Amino acid sequence: MPQEPDAEQAARALADVQHRRSQAIAAQRPPRWFALVWGADLFLTFATPELLPLLHLERWAAWWMGILGPLTAVLLLGRFTRRGRTLFGLPPELRPRGFLPVGKPAPGQGSPWTGFLLVVGAVGVASLVSAWLLSYVPGWRLLLGLALGLSVAFPSPRRFDWLQRLSRNGAHA
């Protein structure tokens, strides 16, 4: 008959489980080099139409975009496909269950997709309106490229806190 572990053994086992869980979540972080290259590519892609005339390099625009376009496509494939992630040595993407609404609605309730589609629609409309308003601001592409590049190159650590909460709560954050 197996013996029950004493309190000290149980505490060590629990600490070991928590340590391994933290290691698994930390393994989901993309390598630093990929985040920096992806951020630089986004910055250059958005800022090129304003940077090249500023630097008097308009004649190189076709060559520059000819380099950035395929580089962006390769990075997108490397970030969002399983084979691309393997090719770049990125960790497999952790996709928690319960992120999108699934299943049939309960009697008397609307579709679980209604709220999701309303949020996506509102964000889309806000994006179009802000892009239209920004088009009147000089240097808006440069600012947008800078904002996107920095946010991708230096991701928020809160994303991984969210993953840790998901792992502790059984995918219910």
Side-chain angles (χ1 to χ4, degrees), residues 86-168:
T86 304
L87 181 68
F88 279 116
L90 300 174
E93 187 71 20
L94 180 64
R95 296 191 181 158
R97 291 176 300 188
F99 183 68
L100 293 177
V102 178
K104 294 182 179 180
Q109 289 185 346
S111 171
W113 286 96
T114 304
F116 179 73
L117 293 175
L118 284 173
V119 169
V120 169
V123 168
V125 168
S127 298
L128 288 174
V129 168
S130 64
W132 175 73
L133 288 175
L134 279 176
S135 66
Y136 294 105
V137 176
W140 75 275
R141 288 184 180 116
L142 186 65
L143 294 174
L144 181 64
L146 188 63
L148 285 175
L150 287 175
S151 67
V152 169
F154 303 103
S156 168
R158 284 182 279 162
R159 173 180 176 223
F160 297 101
D161 294 341
W162 177 71
L163 286 173
Q164 285 179 332
R165 273 196 319 277
L166 279 178
S167 71
R168 273 189 237 112

Side-chain angles (χ1 to χ4, degrees), residues 41 45 63-76:
D41 179 64
T45 300
W63 286 97
W64 191 242
M65 293 311 284
I67 292 169
L68 286 178
L71 178 63
T72 302
V74 166
L75 289 173
L76 279 171

Side-chain angles (χ1 to χ4, degrees), residues 3-14:
Q3 291 182 341
E4 291 289 321
D6 63 359
E8 187 177 308
Q9 290 173 332
R12 272 186 290 179
L14 185 59

Side-chain angles (χ1 to χ4, degrees), residues 2-83:
Q3 291 182 341
E4 291 289 321
D6 63 359
E8 187 177 308
Q9 290 173 332
R12 272 186 290 179
L14 185 59
D16 186 47
V17 167
Q18 292 292 354
H19 177 70
R20 290 182 189 275
R21 181 179 289 158
S22 296
Q23 284 179 331
I25 290 171
Q28 291 299 310
R29 295 179 192 259
R32 190 81 202 120
W33 69 266
F34 189 82
L36 290 174
V37 169
W38 180 239
D41 179 64
L42 282 176
F43 167 71
L44 291 172
T45 300
F46 281 96
T48 292
E50 292 182 2
L51 277 180
L52 291 180
L54 190 66
L55 300 172
H56 306 293
L57 297 173
E58 296 92 354
R59 66 177 182 265
W60 296 100
W63 286 97
W64 191 242
M65 293 311 284
I67 292 169
L68 286 178
L71 178 63
T72 302
V74 166
L75 289 173
L76 279 171
L77 289 174
R79 176 72 175 95
F80 295 109
T81 65
R82 184 182 307 179
R83 287 194 176 133

